[in-house]
C-alpha cells in the first residue's frame, strides 16, 4: 500500500492593481500631472484645429499654414509645417516615450517579469483586437486593409485630459496601470511604424544615423554633460534618420532608450529621470499640441460623419477603437489574472478594469500619425480616416465617462485615503501604517525567533552541565 502524499498547498495569490510603493506613487503622480496638463492643451489644440478648418472664412488659411513649406532643400528637409509637426515635433514625444520605456524596464513595473506580464499581455491584446476588428470589417465590406494599424494606439495624454475634464479621481493603481499600458502600447506602435511604414532605405543616411547614435551612446557612457553637445548631435541624427527612409521619430526613441535610468550612490535622480523631467513638459505642452493643431483639422459635417459609418476603412477604425481596444485589454487582463492566479485588489472590481479599458480606446496622436502613413497617397481617404479617429475617440471617451462616473464615489474615497496626510509630513498616512495582518505576522515571527533562542539556550546549558573542564 503506497504512502499517502501530503497535498501541496496552493500557491499564494499575487495581487495586481494594489497599492503602489511610495517612490513609484510619487513618480506616477508627477508624470501624470504633466501628461494631464498636456492632455488638456492637446484637447484645446484639437478643438481649435476643427474650428479653424471648418469655419468657411478660416478654412483656406488653415490649409495654407499647414501646407507652407520651409527648411533646407539641399538636406532633403524642405517640409510642410504639418510634416515638420509629424516628423519633427513627434520625435520629442517619442524620445520621452523611449525614456519612459527604459525606466519601466529597469526600475518600474516592467522590471519584474511576473509583474510585467499583466500590462504587456493586456497591451498586446489591446493592439491585436483592434487590428483584427479593422481587418474583419474591411474584408466584409471590400475596403482597404492598409489601415489595420490605425486603431491600435492609445493616447495617454488625451485619456488623462478626459479624466481631468470629467473630474474623476482614479486611484493611483488604476492610473499607473493605464500609464504602463500606454508605455507598452507606444513600444509596439514604434515597432509597427519601423517595420511596416518604412520606405526605400538610403543606406548611406542610415549608416550615418547609426554612427551618430553610437557617438551619442559613447558620450553618455563617458559622462559628458551639456545640452550644447547633445542637442546639435540629436538634430543631426534626426535629419539622417529622416533621409534614411525610416520614420524620423525612431531616432527619438533610440536616444531615449540609451539614457541611464538607474540611480548611483549619491544621486537624487538618474540622468534619464532628470532629462525626462526637463523634456516631458516640452513634449506634452508644445510638441504634441502643435502636432494635433496641424493634424486634426478635418472637415466635419453631418454628411462627413455619416460617411464614417458608410466606408469600411473608417468604420473599421471606429469599431477598432471603441470595441477592439476595450475587449482586447479587458480580455487580456482577465485571462492573465485567471491563468497566473493573480487576484484583483480588494478595493477594486472588474468593472473598474473594463472602464479603464474603454478609456484606452481614445486613440489620437499615434493613430493620426499612422493614418497619415497608411494612406499617404490618398489625401481624401486620409482626411476620412482622421475623422474616424476623432469620432472613435469621442465615442470611447463618452462611454468611459459614463462607466467611470458610476463608480466615482468609490474612486473619490480611495483617492482621499491615498492622499490623506494628517501629520503634514509630506508622506501620505497610508504609507506610515500597517494593517492588522501585518502586525500579526510580525508577532508570530518574533515569537518563533524567541522560541528558537530558548531552545538554543537549553541545548547550550545541557552541554555545559556535561562538560567537566580540562583533565
Amino acid at each position: 500500500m503506497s504512502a499517502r502524499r501530503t497535498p501541496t498547498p496552493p500557491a499564494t495569490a499575487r495581487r495586481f492593481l494594489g497599492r503602489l510603493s511610495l517612490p513609484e506613487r510619487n513618480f506616477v503622480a508627477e508624470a501624470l500631472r504633466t501628461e494631464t496638463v498636456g492632455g488638456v492643451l492637446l484637447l484645446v489644440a484639437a478643438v481649435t484645429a476643427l474650428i479653424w478648418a471648418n469655419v468657411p472664412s478660416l478654412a483656406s488659411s488653415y490649409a495654407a499654414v499647414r501646407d507652407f513649406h520651409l527648411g533646407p532643400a539641399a538636406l532633403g528637409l524642405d517640409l510642410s509645417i504639418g510634416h515638420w509637426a509629424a516628423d519633427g515635433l513627434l520625435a520629442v514625444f517619442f524620445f520621452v516615450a523611449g525614456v519612459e520605456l527604459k525606466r519601466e524596464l529597469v526600475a518600474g513595473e516592467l522590471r519584474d517579469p511576473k509583474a510585467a506580464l499583466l500590462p504587456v499581455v493586456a497591451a498586446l491584446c489591446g493592439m491585436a483586437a483592434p487590428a483584427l476588428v479593422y481587418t474583419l470589417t474591411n474584408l466584409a465590406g471590400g475596403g482597404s486593409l492598409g489601415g489595420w494599424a490605425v486603431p491600435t494606439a492609445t493616447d495617454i495624454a488625451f485619456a488623462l485630459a478626459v479624466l481631468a475634464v470629467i473630474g474623476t479621481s482614479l486611484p493611483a493603481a488604476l492610473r499607473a496601470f493605464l500609464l504602463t499600458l500606454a508605455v507598452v502600447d507606444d513600444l509596439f506602435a514604434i515597432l509597427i511604424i519601423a517595420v511596416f511604414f518604412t520606405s526605400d532605405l538610403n543606406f548611406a543616411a542610415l549608416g550615418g544615423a547609426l554612427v551618430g547614435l553610437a557617438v551619442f551612446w559613447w558620450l553618455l557612457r563617458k559622462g559628458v554633460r551639456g545640452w550644447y553637445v547633445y542637442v546639435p548631435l540629436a538634430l543631426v541624427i534626426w535629419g539622417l534618420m529622416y533621409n534614411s527612409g525610416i520614420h524620423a521619430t525612431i531616432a527619438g526613441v533610440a536616444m531615449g532608450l540609451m539614457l541611464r535610468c538607474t540611480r548611483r550612490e549619491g544621486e537624487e535622480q538618474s540622468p534619464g529621470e532628470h532629462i525626462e523631467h526637463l523634456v516631458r513638459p516640452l513634449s506634452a505642452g508644445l510638441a504634441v499640441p502643435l502636432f494635433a493643431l496641424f493634424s486634426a483639422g478635418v472637415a466635419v459635417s453631418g454628411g462627413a460623419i455619416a460617411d464614417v459609418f458608410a466606408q469600411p476603412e473608417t468604420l473599421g477604425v471606429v469599431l477598432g477603437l471603441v470595441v477592439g481596444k476595450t475587449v482586447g485589454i479587458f480580455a487580456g487582463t482577465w485571462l492573465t489574472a485567471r491563468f497566473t492566479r493573480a487576484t484583483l485588489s480588494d478595493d477594486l472590481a472588474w468593472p473598474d478594469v473594463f472602464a479603464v479599458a474603454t478609456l484606452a480606446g481614445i486613440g489620437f496622436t499615434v493613430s493620426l500619425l499612422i493614418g497619415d502613413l497608411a494612406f499617404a497617397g490618398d489625401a481624401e481617404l486620409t482626411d476620412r480616416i482622421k475623422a474616424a479617429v476623432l469620432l472613435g475617440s469621442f465615442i470611447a471617451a463618452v462611454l468611459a465617462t459614463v462607466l467611470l462616473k458610476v463608480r466615482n464615489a468609490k474612486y473619490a474615497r480611495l483617492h482621499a485615503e491615498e492622499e490623506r496626510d494628517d501629520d503634514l509630513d509630506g508622506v501620505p498616512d497610508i504609507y506610515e501604517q500597517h494593517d492588522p495582518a501585518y502586525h500579526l505576522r510580525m508577532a508570530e515571527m518574533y515569537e518563533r525567533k524567541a522560541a528558537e533562542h530558548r531552545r538554543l539556550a537549553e541545548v547550550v546549558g545541557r552541554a555545559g552541565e556535561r562538560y567537566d573542564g580540562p583533565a
Side-chain angles (χ1 to χ4, degrees):
M1 185 175 180
S2 61
R4 181 178 297 176
R5 299 178 61 186
T6 303
T8 304
T12 302
R14 181 174 57 84
R15 292 192 180 277
F16 72 95
L17 295 183
R19 187 180 308 144
L20 303 176
S21 66
L22 184 59
E24 188 69 12
R25 171 198 173 276
N26 291 339
F27 174 83
V28 169
E30 181 180 355
L32 293 179
R33 191 178 301 114
T34 305
E35 291 289 354
T36 301
V37 173
V40 173
L41 293 175
L42 176 62
L43 188 59
V44 171
V47 172
T48 301
L50 288 171
I51 294 173
W52 192 0
N54 285 276
V55 173
S57 59
L58 300 175
S60 59
S61 64
Y62 177 82
V65 173
R66 182 192 60 196
D67 298 335
F68 181 78
H69 278 64
L70 68 152
L75 299 178
L77 296 175
D78 181 21
L79 311 177
S80 68
I81 290 180
H83 205 162
W84 276 111
D87 282 29
L89 292 177
L90 279 195
V92 179
F93 166 80
F94 279 105
F95 172 79
V96 174
V99 179
E100 285 179 338
L101 177 61
K102 179 68 174 289
R103 185 198 168 278
E104 289 292 330
L105 289 171
V106 301
E109 289 292 315
L110 301 181
R111 74 185 185 280
D112 178 8
K114 290 183 179 179
L117 185 64
L118 186 76
V120 169
V121 172
L124 279 172
C125 293
M127 299 187 81
L132 180 61
V133 168
Y134 178 93
T135 301
L136 292 176
T137 303
N138 281 269
L139 285 174
S144 169
L145 300 181
W148 63 270
V150 175
T152 59
T154 293
D155 194 309
I156 182 64
F158 222 135
L160 293 172
V162 171
L163 291 179
V165 170
I166 66 177
T168 297
S169 298
L170 279 183
L174 278 175
R175 289 175 179 258
F177 178 64
L178 184 61
L179 180 61
T180 307
L181 264 180
V183 171
V184 180
D185 191 287
D186 285 342
L187 168 64
F188 288 107
I190 291 160
L191 293 176
I192 287 172
I193 291 171
V195 174
F196 295 100
F197 298 104
T198 295
S199 56
D200 295 334
L201 289 176
N202 181 330
F203 288 100
L206 180 59
L210 293 176
V211 170
L213 287 171
V215 172
F216 189 89
W217 179 86
W218 183 79
L219 290 173
L220 288 172
R221 291 301 172 272
K222 290 297 182 180
V224 176
R225 296 178 179 271
W227 65 267
Y228 46 83
V229 175
Y230 291 102
V231 171
L233 178 59
L235 291 174
V236 171
I237 293 171
W238 176 88
L240 289 168
M241 189 68 76
Y242 175 83
N243 282 287
S244 73
I246 296 176
H247 200 269
T249 53
I250 303 300
V253 178
M255 288 184 279
L257 286 170
M258 289 181 182
L259 293 177
R260 176 170 60 83
C261 292
T262 52
R263 300 180 187 181
R264 292 176 178 169
E265 187 176 354
E267 288 184 339
E268 293 185 2
Q269 284 185 317
S270 66
E273 290 173 314
H274 177 66
I275 297 300
E276 182 185 8
H277 180 75
L278 295 176
V279 179
R280 185 188 287 275
L282 177 64
S283 169
L286 180 66
V288 176
L290 281 178
F291 167 76
L293 181 64
F294 293 109
S295 295
V298 295
V300 177
S301 64
I305 294 174
D307 287 342
V308 166
F309 294 100
Q311 302 283 337
E313 294 89 353
T314 50
L315 180 60
V317 170
V318 173
L319 292 178
L321 289 172
V322 177
V323 179
K325 270 288 183 184
T326 304
V327 173
I329 291 174
F330 181 80
T333 305
W334 187 86
L335 289 172
T336 305
R338 173 68 178 82
F339 289 106
T340 60
R341 296 184 179 181
T343 59
L344 194 62
S345 172
D346 293 336
D347 293 326
L348 299 173
W350 283 107
D352 300 315
V353 180
F354 188 83
V356 171
T358 305
L359 188 65
I362 300 175
F364 190 80
T365 305
V366 180
S367 290
L368 291 176
L369 175 62
I370 294 177
D372 277 334
L373 297 174
F375 301 105
D378 190 337
E380 184 179 351
L381 182 54
T382 299
D383 281 347
R384 291 205 301 267
I385 290 293
K386 289 181 179 180
V389 170
L390 294 173
L391 184 58
S393 299
F394 176 76
I395 294 172
V398 171
L399 291 175
T401 299
V402 173
L403 294 173
L404 292 170
K405 281 294 186 181
V406 170
R407 296 266 291 171
N408 192 44
K410 178 76 171 180
Y411 298 148
R413 182 181 65 78
L414 293 174
H415 185 72
E417 289 177 1
E418 291 177 352
E419 298 297 321
R420 192 176 70 244
D421 183 18
D422 292 339
D423 54 7
L424 302 177
D425 64 349
V427 178
D429 297 338
I430 202 167
Y431 290 95
E432 299 176 315
Q433 60 189 14
H434 300 289
D435 55 33
Y438 172 84
H439 291 294
L440 180 60
R441 290 193 301 271
M442 294 300 293
E444 291 173 347
M445 183 188 72
Y446 286 127
E447 179 58 34
R448 286 195 302 271
K449 293 290 185 183
E452 289 173 4
H453 283 299
R454 286 195 298 270
R455 285 194 297 272
L456 181 60
E458 290 173 1
V459 171
V460 171
R462 287 195 296 271
E465 291 173 359
R466 290 195 297 269
Y467 181 63
D468 296 331

